[in-house]
Amino acid sequence: EPEVTQTPSHQVTQMGQEVILRCVPISNHLYFYWYRQILGQKVEFLVSFYNNEISEKSEIFDDQFSVERPDGSNFTLKIRSTKLEDSAMYFCASLRTRGEKLFFGSGTQLSVL
Amino acid sequence: KNQVEQSPQSLIILEGKNCTLQCNYTVSPFSNLRWYKQDTGRGPVSLTIMTFSENTKSNGRYTATLDADTKQSSLHITASQLSDSASYICVVSEDNFNKFYFGSGTKLNVKP
């Protein structure tokens, strides 16, 4: 089965530092998403991306967050100045078309110290 | 407010037994409902997808049901195995597919 690939699997950073989380969605997919899951809590929506622009974003996705699809294959999430509460597992997901499977990557565990 | 509620929060069953997990949602306009299995520290993996016109969908030992009128779904696991121990998450999407709403999950523990 095709896979969504995320790197790194773990990222440790100091508060206030910038981090970039990388994702390679499945090649023929058109819809892309970032979610996060704080330990012990439910998965939370951050942002959806379609046709090279943000379709929707949650209240979590403030000015500190940005997404890019720089080269047609990678899909990145940047956090400009990390806070302690940004510590979570970040999942990238992609979807080929409506009604089909939403595929998740294995996640990047971000720890902000 | 669009919400997805799951019950029970956690469940312990003996290997070989059946169980049923519940999901209620208020997402509107509704597009489809998905059940995912999430192992600890891993990304969710799709089990079933159902649109409003589908009442039942099976995937091996997993059978999902959907009542779009009452906005309820269930996931039935037959003849449970130790490897079924995981969180099971109900996810509902709006018609525009921009956003998926996640339930808090049911943590299933299958014991020998």
Side-chain angles (χ1 to χ4, degrees), chain A residues 1-2 94-95 99-105, chain B residues 32-39 43-50 57-60 62 64 75 87-91 100 102:
Chain A
E1 196 165 63
S94 71
L95 177 70
E100 293 193 356
K101 268 192 200 180
L102 180 65
F103 288 85
F104 284 84
Chain B
N32 61 51
L33 185 146
R34 302 156 188 253
W35 282 95
Y36 283 85
K37 178 184 178 187
Q38 186 180 24
D39 293 308
V45 174
S46 180
L47 297 176
T48 63
I49 304 171
M50 285 189 294
K57 183 93 52 105
S58 290
N59 176 6
Y62 301 104
L75 180 70
S87 286
Y88 290 83
I89 305 173
C90 176
V91 183
F100 290 80
F102 284 70

Side-chain angles (χ1 to χ4, degrees), chain B residues 18-21 35 60-65 74-79:
Chain B
N18 304 335
C19 66
T20 300
L21 316 179
W35 282 95
R61 294 180 297 103
Y62 301 104
T63 299
T65 66
S74 65
L75 180 70
H76 186 74
I77 304 174
T78 305

Side-chain angles (χ1 to χ4, degrees), chain B residues 49-107:
Chain B
I49 304 171
M50 285 189 294
T51 64
F52 71 93
S53 60
E54 294 176 293
N55 300 121
T56 304
K57 183 93 52 105
S58 290
N59 176 6
R61 294 180 297 103
Y62 301 104
T63 299
T65 66
L66 174 64
D67 186 334
D69 292 329
T70 61
K71 299 189 176 183
Q72 296 180 323
S73 175
S74 65
L75 180 70
H76 186 74
I77 304 174
T78 305
S80 59
Q81 299 174 359
L82 297 179
S83 58
D84 291 334
S85 295
S87 286
Y88 290 83
I89 305 173
C90 176
V91 183
V92 181
S93 65
E94 289 178 329
D95 197 39
N96 60 13
F97 279 86
N98 284 336
K99 201 166 176 178
F100 290 80
Y101 295 88
F102 284 70
S104 297
T106 292
K107 193 170 176 61

Side-chain angles (χ1 to χ4, degrees), chain A:
Chain A
E1 196 165 63
E3 284 187 345
V4 175
T5 306
Q6 288 187 244
T7 55
S9 56
H10 292 86
Q11 172 94 48
V12 180
T13 189
Q14 296 288 327
M15 191 170 60
Q17 295 296 304
E18 175 183 286
V19 294
I20 298 176
L21 310 183
R22 301 180 193 281
C23 170
V24 180
I26 295 168
S27 61
N28 60 350
H29 283 197
L30 301 176
Y31 300 83
F32 312 110
Y33 307 84
W34 282 100
Y35 290 87
R36 77 175 187 190
Q37 187 173 31
I38 296 170
L39 186 64
Q41 297 185 22
K42 71 158 83 173
V43 176
E44 299 175 291
F45 167 76
L46 291 178
V47 65
S48 58
F49 193 86
Y50 171 73
N51 203 25
N52 286 321
E53 60 183 25
I54 290 174
S55 314
E56 187 157 350
K57 56 186 181 181
S58 72
E59 57 275 7
I60 302 168
F61 194 90
D62 61 20
D63 293 343
Q64 295 301 314
F65 290 86
S66 62
V67 289
E68 265 193 337
R69 190 157 157 79
D71 56 11
S73 63
N74 293 286
F75 181 49
T76 62
L77 175 69
K78 183 193 288 187
I79 309 175
R80 285 190 189 81
S81 177
T82 50
K83 302 189 277 280
L84 295 176
E85 54 265 37
D86 293 328
S87 295
M89 180 75 97
Y90 286 79
F91 292 108
C92 173
S94 71
L95 177 70
R96 190 172 73 98
T97 188
R98 302 175 176 207
E100 293 193 356
K101 268 192 200 180
L102 180 65
F103 288 85
F104 284 84
S106 295
T108 293
Q109 180 64 56
L110 176 65
S111 298
V112 182
L113 306 179

